[in-house]
mmCIF file of all heavy atoms in Angstrom:
data_model
loop_
_atom_site.group_PDB
_atom_site.id
_atom_site.type_symbol
_atom_site.label_atom_id
_atom_site.label_comp_id
_atom_site.label_asym_id
_atom_site.label_seq_id
_atom_site.Cartn_x
_atom_site.Cartn_y
_atom_site.Cartn_z
ATOM 1 N N THR E 28 0.918 -1.169 -0.056
ATOM 2 C CA THR E 28 0.016 -0.024 -0.057
ATOM 3 C C THR E 28 0.900 1.258 0.017
ATOM 4 O O THR E 28 1.792 1.373 0.828
ATOM 5 C CB THR E 28 -0.926 0.037 1.226
ATOM 6 O OG1 THR E 28 -1.706 -1.095 1.245
ATOM 7 C CG2 THR E 28 -1.740 1.232 1.267
ATOM 8 N N ILE E 29 0.713 2.173 -0.945
ATOM 9 C CA ILE E 29 1.492 3.386 -1.032
ATOM 10 C C ILE E 29 0.853 4.358 -0.084
ATOM 11 O O ILE E 29 -0.268 4.673 -0.246
ATOM 12 C CB ILE E 29 1.628 3.829 -2.433
ATOM 13 C CG1 ILE E 29 2.382 2.819 -3.319
ATOM 14 C CG2 ILE E 29 2.471 5.200 -2.443
ATOM 15 C CD1 ILE E 29 2.406 3.090 -4.769
ATOM 16 N N VAL E 30 1.669 4.793 0.835
ATOM 17 C CA VAL E 30 1.097 5.736 1.932
ATOM 18 C C VAL E 30 1.870 6.961 1.950
ATOM 19 O O VAL E 30 2.943 7.184 1.259
ATOM 20 C CB VAL E 30 1.278 5.030 3.314
ATOM 21 C CG1 VAL E 30 0.488 3.759 3.385
ATOM 22 C CG2 VAL E 30 2.722 4.726 3.683
ATOM 23 N N THR E 31 1.421 7.956 2.670
ATOM 24 C CA THR E 31 2.233 9.291 2.884
ATOM 25 C C THR E 31 3.399 9.074 3.603
ATOM 26 O O THR E 31 3.556 8.006 4.360
ATOM 27 C CB THR E 31 1.259 10.332 3.588
ATOM 28 O OG1 THR E 31 0.932 9.806 4.901
ATOM 29 C CG2 THR E 31 0.015 10.514 2.790
ATOM 30 N N LEU E 32 4.283 9.956 3.477
ATOM 31 C CA LEU E 32 5.582 9.877 4.257
ATOM 32 C C LEU E 32 5.147 9.959 5.809
ATOM 33 O O LEU E 32 5.804 9.154 6.567
ATOM 34 C CB LEU E 32 6.387 11.087 3.904
ATOM 35 C CG LEU E 32 7.791 11.247 4.701
ATOM 36 C CD1 LEU E 32 8.597 9.950 4.563
ATOM 37 C CD2 LEU E 32 8.527 12.418 4.264
ATOM 38 N N GLU E 33 4.243 10.748 6.150
ATOM 39 C CA GLU E 33 3.723 10.802 7.518
ATOM 40 C C GLU E 33 3.371 9.465 8.102
ATOM 41 O O GLU E 33 3.647 9.038 9.156
ATOM 42 C CB GLU E 33 2.669 11.826 7.661
ATOM 43 C CG GLU E 33 2.122 11.947 9.155
ATOM 44 C CD GLU E 33 1.108 13.008 9.294
ATOM 45 O OE1 GLU E 33 0.399 13.381 8.301
ATOM 46 O OE2 GLU E 33 0.880 13.522 10.355
ATOM 47 N N GLU E 34 2.585 8.714 7.348
ATOM 48 C CA GLU E 34 2.019 7.426 7.650
ATOM 49 C C GLU E 34 3.086 6.499 7.798
ATOM 50 O O GLU E 34 3.184 5.694 8.744
ATOM 51 C CB GLU E 34 0.982 6.884 6.676
ATOM 52 C CG GLU E 34 0.380 5.548 6.881
ATOM 53 C CD GLU E 34 -0.348 5.421 8.176
ATOM 54 O OE1 GLU E 34 -0.896 6.513 8.566
ATOM 55 O OE2 GLU E 34 -0.375 4.375 8.777
ATOM 56 N N ALA E 35 4.139 6.415 6.871
ATOM 57 C CA ALA E 35 5.198 5.580 6.917
ATOM 58 C C ALA E 35 5.915 5.633 8.159
ATOM 59 O O ALA E 35 6.443 4.753 8.882
ATOM 60 C CB ALA E 35 6.024 5.635 5.692
ATOM 61 N N MET E 36 6.222 6.937 8.538
ATOM 62 C CA MET E 36 7.043 7.275 9.679
ATOM 63 C C MET E 36 6.430 7.088 11.049
ATOM 64 O O MET E 36 6.861 7.240 12.009
ATOM 65 C CB MET E 36 7.527 8.787 9.552
ATOM 66 C CG MET E 36 8.602 8.928 8.494
ATOM 67 S SD MET E 36 9.279 10.600 8.416
ATOM 68 C CE MET E 36 10.246 10.686 9.905
ATOM 69 N N LYS E 37 5.131 6.619 11.023
ATOM 70 C CA LYS E 37 4.521 6.151 12.196
ATOM 71 C C LYS E 37 4.990 4.858 12.716
ATOM 72 O O LYS E 37 4.852 4.438 13.886
ATOM 73 C CB LYS E 37 2.927 5.973 11.999
ATOM 74 C CG LYS E 37 2.293 7.367 11.933
ATOM 75 C CD LYS E 37 0.704 7.260 11.722
ATOM 76 C CE LYS E 37 0.071 8.512 11.475
ATOM 77 N NZ LYS E 37 -1.390 8.339 11.232
ATOM 78 N N ASP E 38 5.681 4.072 11.860
ATOM 79 C CA ASP E 38 6.372 2.938 12.258
ATOM 80 C C ASP E 38 7.431 3.220 13.294
ATOM 81 O O ASP E 38 8.236 4.053 13.134
ATOM 82 C CB ASP E 38 6.968 2.215 10.996
ATOM 83 C CG ASP E 38 7.562 0.785 11.253
ATOM 84 O OD1 ASP E 38 8.128 0.586 12.242
ATOM 85 O OD2 ASP E 38 7.415 -0.004 10.432
ATOM 86 N N GLU E 39 7.381 2.501 14.319
ATOM 87 C CA GLU E 39 8.343 2.783 15.475
ATOM 88 C C GLU E 39 9.766 2.743 15.151
ATOM 89 O O GLU E 39 10.615 3.333 15.802
ATOM 90 C CB GLU E 39 7.886 1.855 16.668
ATOM 91 C CG GLU E 39 8.243 0.366 16.400
ATOM 92 C CD GLU E 39 7.851 -0.560 17.476
ATOM 93 O OE1 GLU E 39 7.181 -0.183 18.412
ATOM 94 O OE2 GLU E 39 8.296 -1.777 17.450
ATOM 95 N N VAL E 40 10.107 2.047 13.985
ATOM 96 C CA VAL E 40 11.451 1.921 13.647
ATOM 97 C C VAL E 40 12.084 3.334 13.426
ATOM 98 O O VAL E 40 13.289 3.435 13.564
ATOM 99 C CB VAL E 40 11.605 1.006 12.404
ATOM 100 C CG1 VAL E 40 11.206 1.777 11.140
ATOM 101 C CG2 VAL E 40 13.039 0.573 12.206
ATOM 102 N N TYR E 41 11.270 4.279 13.017
ATOM 103 C CA TYR E 41 11.835 5.650 12.749
ATOM 104 C C TYR E 41 12.074 6.402 13.961
ATOM 105 O O TYR E 41 12.571 7.542 13.853
ATOM 106 C CB TYR E 41 10.951 6.320 11.725
ATOM 107 C CG TYR E 41 10.911 5.693 10.390
ATOM 108 C CD1 TYR E 41 9.753 4.842 9.987
ATOM 109 C CD2 TYR E 41 11.974 5.894 9.521
ATOM 110 C CE1 TYR E 41 9.772 4.240 8.842
ATOM 111 C CE2 TYR E 41 11.925 5.233 8.375
ATOM 112 C CZ TYR E 41 10.865 4.317 7.961
ATOM 113 O OH TYR E 41 10.911 3.800 6.731
ATOM 114 N N GLN E 42 11.800 5.838 15.126
ATOM 115 C CA GLN E 42 12.324 6.325 16.345
ATOM 116 C C GLN E 42 13.735 5.931 16.688
ATOM 117 O O GLN E 42 14.337 6.437 17.676
ATOM 118 C CB GLN E 42 11.347 6.006 17.587
ATOM 119 C CG GLN E 42 9.946 6.390 17.308
ATOM 120 C CD GLN E 42 9.751 7.994 17.037
ATOM 121 O OE1 GLN E 42 10.322 8.786 17.845
ATOM 122 N NE2 GLN E 42 9.029 8.316 16.093
ATOM 123 N N THR E 43 14.234 5.065 15.907
ATOM 124 C CA THR E 43 15.619 4.538 16.113
ATOM 125 C C THR E 43 16.617 5.659 15.995
ATOM 126 O O THR E 43 16.594 6.357 15.015
ATOM 127 C CB THR E 43 15.883 3.395 15.186
ATOM 128 O OG1 THR E 43 14.932 2.376 15.197
ATOM 129 C CG2 THR E 43 17.388 2.808 15.434
ATOM 130 N N LYS E 44 17.482 5.777 16.893
ATOM 131 C CA LYS E 44 18.479 6.858 16.763
ATOM 132 C C LYS E 44 19.445 6.703 15.578
ATOM 133 O O LYS E 44 19.887 5.639 15.474
ATOM 134 C CB LYS E 44 19.269 6.954 18.180
ATOM 135 C CG LYS E 44 20.287 8.064 18.298
ATOM 136 C CD LYS E 44 19.584 9.440 18.212
ATOM 137 C CE LYS E 44 20.567 10.577 18.394
ATOM 138 N NZ LYS E 44 19.975 11.987 18.208
ATOM 139 N N ASP E 45 19.656 7.661 14.959
ATOM 140 C CA ASP E 45 20.632 7.802 13.826
ATOM 141 C C ASP E 45 21.904 8.606 14.175
ATOM 142 O O ASP E 45 21.861 9.814 14.218
ATOM 143 C CB ASP E 45 19.940 8.387 12.538
ATOM 144 C CG ASP E 45 21.001 8.638 11.524
ATOM 145 O OD1 ASP E 45 21.923 7.994 11.328
ATOM 146 O OD2 ASP E 45 20.741 9.668 10.736
ATOM 147 N N ASN E 46 22.969 7.864 14.567
ATOM 148 C CA ASN E 46 24.114 8.449 14.901
ATOM 149 C C ASN E 46 25.269 8.295 13.818
ATOM 150 O O ASN E 46 26.441 8.536 14.069
ATOM 151 C CB ASN E 46 24.791 7.886 16.135
ATOM 152 C CG ASN E 46 23.946 8.287 17.323
ATOM 153 O OD1 ASN E 46 23.533 9.480 17.479
ATOM 154 N ND2 ASN E 46 23.688 7.440 18.258
ATOM 155 N N TYR E 47 24.868 8.007 12.598
ATOM 156 C CA TYR E 47 25.834 7.793 11.453
ATOM 157 C C TYR E 47 26.408 9.084 11.028
ATOM 158 O O TYR E 47 25.737 10.023 10.719
ATOM 159 C CB TYR E 47 25.129 7.085 10.305
ATOM 160 C CG TYR E 47 25.996 6.967 9.052
ATOM 161 C CD1 TYR E 47 26.948 5.972 9.080
ATOM 162 C CD2 TYR E 47 25.934 7.816 8.028
ATOM 163 C CE1 TYR E 47 27.791 5.848 7.893
ATOM 164 C CE2 TYR E 47 26.680 7.725 6.900
ATOM 165 C CZ TYR E 47 27.672 6.709 6.790
ATOM 166 O OH TYR E 47 28.390 6.624 5.750
ATOM 167 N N VAL E 48 27.695 9.110 10.882
ATOM 168 C CA VAL E 48 28.446 10.206 10.264
ATOM 169 C C VAL E 48 29.566 9.663 9.468
ATOM 170 O O VAL E 48 30.372 8.846 9.939
ATOM 171 C CB VAL E 48 28.947 11.241 11.395
ATOM 172 C CG1 VAL E 48 27.794 12.203 11.914
ATOM 173 C CG2 VAL E 48 29.688 10.604 12.401
ATOM 174 N N ASP E 49 29.674 10.158 8.274
ATOM 175 C CA ASP E 49 30.747 9.761 7.436
ATOM 176 C C ASP E 49 30.659 10.578 6.179
ATOM 177 O O ASP E 49 29.726 11.333 5.929
ATOM 178 C CB ASP E 49 30.619 8.265 7.106
ATOM 179 C CG ASP E 49 32.037 7.659 6.721
ATOM 180 O OD1 ASP E 49 32.953 8.407 6.326
ATOM 181 O OD2 ASP E 49 32.180 6.353 6.763
ATOM 182 N N TYR E 50 31.710 10.401 5.231
ATOM 183 C CA TYR E 50 31.580 11.124 3.934
ATOM 184 C C TYR E 50 30.497 10.634 3.101
ATOM 185 O O TYR E 50 29.920 11.511 2.287
ATOM 186 C CB TYR E 50 32.936 11.022 3.254
ATOM 187 C CG TYR E 50 34.057 11.943 3.918
ATOM 188 C CD1 TYR E 50 34.979 11.417 4.724
ATOM 189 C CD2 TYR E 50 33.969 13.374 3.476
ATOM 190 C CE1 TYR E 50 35.891 12.285 5.316
ATOM 191 C CE2 TYR E 50 34.918 14.171 4.098
ATOM 192 C CZ TYR E 50 35.978 13.628 4.981
ATOM 193 O OH TYR E 50 36.840 14.447 5.644
ATOM 194 N N GLY E 51 30.178 9.422 3.065
ATOM 195 C CA GLY E 51 29.166 8.859 2.200
ATOM 196 C C GLY E 51 27.724 9.118 2.774
ATOM 197 O O GLY E 51 27.480 9.359 3.922
ATOM 198 N N GLY E 52 26.794 9.170 1.826
ATOM 199 C CA GLY E 52 25.326 9.276 2.201
ATOM 200 C C GLY E 52 24.696 7.876 2.209
ATOM 201 O O GLY E 52 24.630 7.241 1.082
ATOM 202 N N LEU E 53 24.360 7.332 3.353
ATOM 203 C CA LEU E 53 23.698 6.095 3.437
ATOM 204 C C LEU E 53 22.210 6.057 3.739
ATOM 205 O O LEU E 53 21.660 6.997 4.327
ATOM 206 C CB LEU E 53 24.265 5.231 4.584
ATOM 207 C CG LEU E 53 25.766 4.736 4.327
ATOM 208 C CD1 LEU E 53 26.087 3.982 5.560
ATOM 209 C CD2 LEU E 53 25.953 3.900 3.064
ATOM 210 N N ASP E 54 21.531 5.107 3.072
ATOM 211 C CA ASP E 54 20.191 4.997 3.510
ATOM 212 C C ASP E 54 19.988 4.576 4.924
ATOM 213 O O ASP E 54 20.981 4.103 5.563
ATOM 214 C CB ASP E 54 19.502 3.913 2.565
ATOM 215 C CG ASP E 54 19.971 2.515 2.757
ATOM 216 O OD1 ASP E 54 19.636 1.850 3.699
ATOM 217 O OD2 ASP E 54 20.811 2.123 1.895
ATOM 218 N N TRP E 55 18.740 4.663 5.445
ATOM 219 C CA TRP E 55 18.632 4.498 7.002
ATOM 220 C C TRP E 55 18.701 3.076 7.346
ATOM 221 O O TRP E 55 19.175 2.727 8.462
ATOM 222 C CB TRP E 55 17.212 5.101 7.379
ATOM 223 C CG TRP E 55 17.416 6.419 8.003
ATOM 224 C CD1 TRP E 55 17.205 6.885 9.205
ATOM 225 C CD2 TRP E 55 17.910 7.710 7.173
ATOM 226 N NE1 TRP E 55 17.357 8.238 9.310
ATOM 227 C CE2 TRP E 55 17.880 8.783 8.172
ATOM 228 C CE3 TRP E 55 18.261 7.886 5.916
ATOM 229 C CZ2 TRP E 55 18.175 10.006 7.777
ATOM 230 C CZ3 TRP E 55 18.660 9.209 5.538
ATOM 231 C CH2 TRP E 55 18.543 10.280 6.493
ATOM 232 N N LEU E 56 18.375 2.076 6.467
ATOM 233 C CA LEU E 56 18.551 0.649 6.910
ATOM 234 C C LEU E 56 20.068 0.413 7.063
ATOM 235 O O LEU E 56 20.452 -0.288 7.930
ATOM 236 C CB LEU E 56 18.028 -0.264 5.782
ATOM 237 C CG LEU E 56 16.471 -0.412 5.906
ATOM 238 C CD1 LEU E 56 16.036 -1.117 4.595
ATOM 239 C CD2 LEU E 56 16.065 -1.224 7.122
ATOM 240 N N SER E 57 20.919 0.990 6.110
ATOM 241 C CA SER E 57 22.421 0.809 6.194
ATOM 242 C C SER E 57 22.880 1.472 7.536
ATOM 243 O O SER E 57 23.815 0.922 8.155
ATOM 244 C CB SER E 57 23.049 1.309 4.987
ATOM 245 O OG SER E 57 22.624 0.580 3.824
ATOM 246 N N ARG E 58 22.387 2.630 7.802
ATOM 247 C CA ARG E 58 22.777 3.391 9.016
ATOM 248 C C ARG E 58 22.480 2.544 10.235
ATOM 249 O O ARG E 58 23.301 2.441 11.135
ATOM 250 C CB ARG E 58 22.069 4.705 9.056
ATOM 251 C CG ARG E 58 22.442 5.739 8.081
ATOM 252 C CD ARG E 58 21.533 6.841 7.949
ATOM 253 N NE ARG E 58 21.828 7.856 6.987
ATOM 254 C CZ ARG E 58 22.389 9.033 7.195
ATOM 255 N NH1 ARG E 58 22.598 9.506 8.463
ATOM 256 N NH2 ARG E 58 22.735 9.828 6.168
ATOM 257 N N TRP E 59 21.269 2.029 10.282
ATOM 258 C CA TRP E 59 20.937 1.183 11.458
ATOM 259 C C TRP E 59 21.753 -0.021 11.549
ATOM 260 O O TRP E 59 22.157 -0.443 12.686
ATOM 261 C CB TRP E 59 19.485 0.872 11.434
ATOM 262 C CG TRP E 59 18.507 2.093 11.510
ATOM 263 C CD1 TRP E 59 18.757 3.114 12.284
ATOM 264 C CD2 TRP E 59 17.259 2.285 10.927
ATOM 265 N NE1 TRP E 59 17.699 4.056 12.144
ATOM 266 C CE2 TRP E 59 16.711 3.497 11.280
ATOM 267 C CE3 TRP E 59 16.428 1.448 10.016
ATOM 268 C CZ2 TRP E 59 15.530 3.984 10.913
ATOM 269 C CZ3 TRP E 59 15.228 1.928 9.628
ATOM 270 C CH2 TRP E 59 14.777 3.196 10.016
ATOM 271 N N ALA E 60 22.090 -0.622 10.508
ATOM 272 C CA ALA E 60 23.024 -1.873 10.443
ATOM 273 C C ALA E 60 24.302 -1.522 10.996
ATOM 274 O O ALA E 60 24.831 -2.243 11.787
ATOM 275 C CB ALA E 60 23.059 -2.383 9.055
ATOM 276 N N LYS E 61 24.871 -0.342 10.545
ATOM 277 C CA LYS E 61 26.167 0.053 11.119
ATOM 278 C C LYS E 61 26.099 0.265 12.685
ATOM 279 O O LYS E 61 27.076 -0.063 13.366
ATOM 280 C CB LYS E 61 26.631 1.219 10.322
ATOM 281 C CG LYS E 61 27.251 0.952 8.979
ATOM 282 C CD LYS E 61 27.819 2.105 8.351
ATOM 283 C CE LYS E 61 28.471 1.732 7.004
ATOM 284 N NZ LYS E 61 29.678 0.860 7.125
ATOM 285 N N ALA E 62 25.015 0.921 13.028
ATOM 286 C CA ALA E 62 24.898 1.284 14.493
ATOM 287 C C ALA E 62 24.800 -0.030 15.258
ATOM 288 O O ALA E 62 25.228 -0.060 16.515
ATOM 289 C CB ALA E 62 23.657 2.090 14.750
ATOM 290 N N ARG E 63 24.214 -1.119 14.635
ATOM 291 C CA ARG E 63 24.082 -2.375 15.387
ATOM 292 C C ARG E 63 25.331 -3.286 15.193
ATOM 293 O O ARG E 63 25.331 -4.393 15.761
ATOM 294 C CB ARG E 63 22.798 -3.021 14.989
ATOM 295 C CG ARG E 63 21.511 -2.366 15.398
ATOM 296 C CD ARG E 63 20.357 -3.167 14.822
ATOM 297 N NE ARG E 63 19.064 -2.606 15.371
ATOM 298 C CZ ARG E 63 18.000 -3.272 15.784
ATOM 299 N NH1 ARG E 63 17.999 -4.639 15.351
ATOM 300 N NH2 ARG E 63 17.008 -2.714 16.188
ATOM 301 N N GLY E 64 26.308 -2.803 14.445
ATOM 302 C CA GLY E 64 27.451 -3.658 14.173
ATOM 303 C C GLY E 64 27.218 -4.820 13.286
ATOM 304 O O GLY E 64 27.883 -5.892 13.456
ATOM 305 N N VAL E 65 26.128 -4.731 12.503
ATOM 306 C CA VAL E 65 25.775 -5.909 11.615
ATOM 307 C C VAL E 65 26.742 -5.851 10.350
ATOM 308 O O VAL E 65 26.794 -4.814 9.657
ATOM 309 C CB VAL E 65 24.346 -5.838 11.156
ATOM 310 C CG1 VAL E 65 24.016 -6.955 10.267
ATOM 311 C CG2 VAL E 65 23.432 -5.871 12.331
ATOM 312 N N SER E 66 27.378 -6.968 10.045
ATOM 313 C CA SER E 66 28.310 -7.012 8.865
ATOM 314 C C SER E 66 27.642 -6.957 7.550
ATOM 315 O O SER E 66 26.470 -7.413 7.564
ATOM 316 C CB SER E 66 29.214 -8.212 8.996
ATOM 317 O OG SER E 66 28.445 -9.432 8.639
ATOM 318 N N ASN E 67 28.277 -6.362 6.559
ATOM 319 C CA ASN E 67 27.617 -6.229 5.254
ATOM 320 C C ASN E 67 27.337 -7.586 4.739
ATOM 321 O O ASN E 67 26.303 -7.699 3.965
ATOM 322 C CB ASN E 67 28.523 -5.454 4.353
ATOM 323 C CG ASN E 67 28.584 -3.996 4.577
ATOM 324 O OD1 ASN E 67 27.686 -3.498 5.211
ATOM 325 N ND2 ASN E 67 29.608 -3.312 4.084
ATOM 326 N N SER E 68 28.057 -8.620 4.964
ATOM 327 C CA SER E 68 27.826 -9.944 4.433
ATOM 328 C C SER E 68 26.475 -10.516 4.924
ATOM 329 O O SER E 68 25.814 -11.241 4.199
ATOM 330 C CB SER E 68 28.982 -10.897 4.796
ATOM 331 O OG SER E 68 29.129 -11.027 6.196
ATOM 332 N N ILE E 69 26.056 -10.201 6.076
ATOM 333 C CA ILE E 69 24.798 -10.623 6.639
ATOM 334 C C ILE E 69 23.684 -9.812 6.216
ATOM 335 O O ILE E 69 22.602 -10.192 5.926
ATOM 336 C CB ILE E 69 24.907 -10.677 8.188
ATOM 337 C CG1 ILE E 69 25.989 -11.776 8.635
ATOM 338 C CG2 ILE E 69 23.520 -10.984 8.787
ATOM 339 C CD1 ILE E 69 26.181 -11.794 10.172
ATOM 340 N N PHE E 70 23.998 -8.478 6.273
ATOM 341 C CA PHE E 70 22.919 -7.399 6.214
ATOM 342 C C PHE E 70 22.550 -7.176 4.698
ATOM 343 O O PHE E 70 21.349 -7.226 4.343
ATOM 344 C CB PHE E 70 23.297 -6.134 6.742
ATOM 345 C CG PHE E 70 22.452 -4.958 6.374
ATOM 346 C CD1 PHE E 70 21.147 -4.927 6.740
ATOM 347 C CD2 PHE E 70 23.030 -3.945 5.592
ATOM 348 C CE1 PHE E 70 20.342 -3.766 6.326
ATOM 349 C CE2 PHE E 70 22.349 -2.857 5.223
ATOM 350 C CZ PHE E 70 20.904 -2.752 5.636
ATOM 351 N N SER E 71 23.457 -6.806 3.805
ATOM 352 C CA SER E 71 23.064 -6.057 2.651
ATOM 353 C C SER E 71 22.831 -6.866 1.397
ATOM 354 O O SER E 71 21.998 -6.540 0.653
ATOM 355 C CB SER E 71 24.143 -4.969 2.292
ATOM 356 O OG SER E 71 25.361 -5.533 2.045
ATOM 357 N N GLY E 72 23.685 -7.835 1.134
ATOM 358 C CA GLY E 72 23.486 -8.425 -0.124
ATOM 359 C C GLY E 72 24.085 -7.501 -1.101
ATOM 360 O O GLY E 72 24.653 -6.453 -0.891
ATOM 361 N N ARG E 73 23.819 -7.772 -2.451
ATOM 362 C CA ARG E 73 24.387 -6.911 -3.521
ATOM 363 C C ARG E 73 23.306 -6.086 -4.155
ATOM 364 O O ARG E 73 22.347 -6.500 -4.693
ATOM 365 C CB ARG E 73 24.969 -7.870 -4.601
ATOM 366 C CG ARG E 73 25.701 -7.136 -5.685
ATOM 367 C CD ARG E 73 26.359 -8.185 -6.569
ATOM 368 N NE ARG E 73 27.159 -7.467 -7.733
ATOM 369 C CZ ARG E 73 28.312 -7.092 -7.668
ATOM 370 N NH1 ARG E 73 29.055 -7.241 -6.583
ATOM 371 N NH2 ARG E 73 28.899 -6.519 -8.656
#
């Protein structure tokens, strides 16, 4: 279901703290993975 940005952000996951800083711009799933120390081999795929 395609929803508004406001509706999507009601998901509690968007309360997850984002402390990512680096030269690259990462999507939020990748930011959260780094914050949790999840390795790319497990998390991202290609």
